[in-house]
């Protein structure tokens, strides 16, 4: 099985915020995406889990979003929230911003859950030991925009204020914590009306997809609510206001081909730690054991996944054109990316994650492709 390479013809999620800031007239921001508008105030709104294939398949449930359907973007590997939010906040691919999975190994710390900023799968808060601004030291786009004179606001759930991931990849603007869709829409409207820039985030479509499956009745009903929220934001845009809707990944429903890694004793031989998530795994090996671990994982997983060395994944561009030295240490010695609708569960170690119907993280079009939806007055 030949492992895939990213499509160089598709712009990346990381290119969206620079394009919007450039359209607002801020200097120092460049992007392959060109927005031919006179923009006074703007919002980049990320709808977690809104894959391009899912939107196209359920356009009837989201007429406003479907009516804005323009170009398709890619999110890069892994197709997961930590990496997607980091791409939006830094303008970089995962090989540079370093959020190479939902969980990954930090030297001298261990495997860290990037969403909870704690040891994976559970443990105490690591913000003092793994300082977010050190784990991800690059200036964010929001810091740069604020330094260039823009009024920048990050609008997301109140519980994420000051979290490790927020500090690592979304720092630089005023944080506005919200609680509901109406709250989010109202705050976006006020920032854009005041000629500011904001990043907004909504999580519930992804949550419903995980619980019930993307395309399920519950997911479609949630999509309808998202569509109404976006409609209300567009209706309130002032002259010169712009809304760009994106996502961090798509999603697939798992099928009967899943494998429980915890039940396969041979997969532990030669390994020290396993990170990543159900559809994208980092396998960290003992000294000299990588070749044997690679062979065992390939033989056991078969056609369920592309299984390659971390060096091969870097060479193929899975983590972007450039991989920083500090980031390379976070990438597995062996990397496994699920194919089709399979998944690499860990029912003992990760019982909650392993119970979910919908998953993402890998390199399939269903997970990688997202829409760029732009409205402007």
């Amino acid at each position: 099985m030949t492992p895939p390479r990213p499509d160089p013809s598709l712009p990346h999620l990381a290119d969206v915020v620079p394009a919007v800031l450039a359209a607002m007239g801020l200097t120092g921001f460049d992007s392959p995406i060109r927005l031919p508008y006179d923009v006074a105030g703007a919002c980049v709104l990320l709808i977690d889990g809104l894959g391009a294939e899912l939107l196209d398949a359920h356009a009837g449930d989201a007429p406003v979003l479907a009516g804005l359907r323009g170009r398709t973007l890619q999110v890069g590997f892994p197709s997961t929230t930590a990496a997607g939010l980091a791409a939006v906040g830094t303008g970089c691919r995962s090989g540079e911003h370093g959020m190479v999975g939902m969980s990954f190994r930090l030297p001298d710390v261990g495997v860290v859950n990037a969403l909870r900023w704690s040891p994976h799968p559970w443990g105490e808060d690591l913000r003092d030991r793994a300082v977010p601004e050190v784990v991800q030291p690059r200036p964010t786009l929001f810091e740069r925009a604020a330094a260039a004179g823009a009024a920048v606001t990050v609008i997301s759930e109140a519980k994420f204020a000051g979290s490790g991931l927020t500090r690592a990849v979304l720092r630089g603007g005023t944080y506005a914590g919200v609680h509901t869709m109406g709250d989010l829409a109202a705050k976006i409207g006020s920032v854009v009306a005041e000629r500011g820039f904001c990043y907004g985030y909504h999580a519930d479509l992804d949550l419903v997809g995980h619980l019930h499956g993307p395309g399920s009745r519950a997911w479609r009903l949630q999509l309808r609510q998202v569509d109404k929220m976006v409609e209300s934001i567009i209706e309130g845009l002032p002259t010169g206001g712009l809304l760009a809707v994106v996502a961090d990944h798509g999603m697939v429903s798992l099928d009967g081909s899943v494998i429980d890694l915890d039940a396969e004793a041979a997969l532990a031989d030669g390994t020290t730690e396993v990170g990543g998530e159900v559809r994208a795994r980092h396998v960290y090996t003992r000294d000299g054991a990588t070749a044997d671990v690679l062979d065992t994982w390939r033989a056991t997983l078969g056609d369920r996944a592309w299984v390659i060395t971390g060096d091969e994944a870097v060479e193929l561009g899975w983590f972007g054109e450039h991989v920083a030295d500090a980031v390379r240490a976070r990438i597995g010695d062996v990397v496994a990316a699920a194919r089709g609708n399979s998944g690499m569960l860990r029912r003992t170690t990760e019982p909650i994650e392993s119970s979910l119907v919908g998953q993402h993280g890998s390199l399939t079009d269903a997970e990688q492709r997202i829409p760029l939806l732009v409205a402007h007055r």
Side-chain angles (χ1 to χ4, degrees):
M1 295 180 294
T2 302
R5 289 180 179 269
D7 184 348
S9 69
L10 283 181
H12 194 279
L13 173 61
D15 300 323
V16 174
V17 171
V20 172
L21 294 174
M24 291 181 68
L26 274 70
T27 59
F29 297 94
D30 191 28
S31 172
I33 300 171
R34 295 289 182 263
L35 299 175
Y37 306 113
D38 181 13
V39 179
C43 174
V44 173
L45 173 61
L46 191 148
I47 305 299
D48 200 325
L50 182 64
E53 290 190 1
L54 286 168
L55 177 59
D56 293 345
H58 301 285
D61 293 305
V64 174
L65 294 171
L68 298 173
R69 186 72 165 93
R71 67 194 310 173
T72 297
L73 311 179
Q74 61 184 321
V75 299
F77 184 79
S79 50
T80 195
T81 297
L85 268 57
V88 169
T90 67
C92 298
R93 278 63 166 169
S94 58
E96 294 179 296
H97 62 59
M99 301 297 110
V100 296
M102 183 191 77
S103 65
F104 51 85
R105 184 179 65 185
L106 285 178
D108 302 321
V109 177
V111 176
V112 174
N113 184 303
L115 298 179
R116 292 192 287 266
W117 216 261
S118 64
H120 186 73
W122 299 103
E124 297 297 321
D125 186 275
L126 287 172
R127 282 175 291 182
D128 290 338
R129 185 177 173 195
V131 178
E133 295 83 0
V134 175
V135 174
Q136 197 301 102
R138 291 175 174 271
T140 70
L141 294 169
F142 307 148
E143 288 177 309
R144 292 172 53 199
V152 179
T153 306
V154 173
I155 309 171
S156 187
E157 294 183 39
K159 66 182 179 181
F160 297 143
S163 73
L165 186 61
T166 297
R167 284 172 51 186
V169 304
L170 301 175
R171 62 182 181 265
T174 299
Y175 194 94
V178 296
H179 303 275
T180 66
M181 281 187 170
D183 202 5
L184 174 62
K187 186 60 181 177
I188 289 172
S190 65
V191 171
V192 176
E194 294 168 4
R195 304 172 71 87
F197 169 83
C198 64
Y199 157 76
Y201 173 77
H202 182 69
D204 290 353
L205 189 68
D206 176 75
L207 175 61
V208 174
H210 279 304
L211 293 174
H212 301 285
S216 64
R217 176 163 175 75
W219 186 92
R220 291 177 61 191
L221 290 175
Q222 185 63 35
L223 178 62
R224 294 179 189 180
Q225 301 308 309
V226 171
D227 196 64
K228 289 294 186 182
M229 177 184 68
V230 170
E231 181 179 37
S232 69
I233 295 171
I234 294 172
E235 288 175 347
L237 285 177
T239 300
L242 180 141
L243 174 68
V245 180
V246 293
D248 49 352
H249 54 74
M251 187 177 286
V252 300
S253 291
L254 299 186
D255 62 18
S257 68
V258 299
I259 185 170
D260 182 3
L261 304 181
D262 290 341
E264 301 288 338
L267 295 179
D269 292 344
T271 69
T272 58
E273 295 159 311
V274 175
E277 56 207 282
V278 168
R279 285 187 54 84
R281 290 292 182 187
H282 293 285
V283 186
Y284 305 99
T285 66
R286 302 184 189 281
D287 289 344
T290 297
D292 289 339
V293 170
L294 178 67
D295 289 344
T296 300
W297 278 67
R298 280 179 171 170
T300 304
L301 268 60
D303 61 3
R304 296 182 182 94
W306 294 286
V307 183
I308 60 178
T309 67
D311 288 340
E312 289 174 310
V314 170
E315 191 278 328
L316 285 168
W318 282 15
F319 300 95
E321 293 183 7
H322 306 288
V323 175
D325 290 343
V327 174
R328 178 61 189 88
R330 304 174 190 179
I331 296 170
D333 300 297
V334 172
V335 179
R339 301 177 69 231
N341 291 75
S342 192
M344 297 165 282
L345 311 180
R346 300 183 72 193
R347 289 193 171 107
T348 301
T349 308
E350 301 169 352
I352 296 174
E353 293 89 342
S354 296
S355 71
L356 300 176
V357 177
Q359 299 282 358
H360 52 79
S362 192
L363 292 154
T364 67
D365 286 353
E367 296 158 285
Q368 282 288 321
R369 304 297 190 252
I370 60 166
L372 173 60
L373 313 172
V374 179
H376 176 259
R377 287 196 185 279

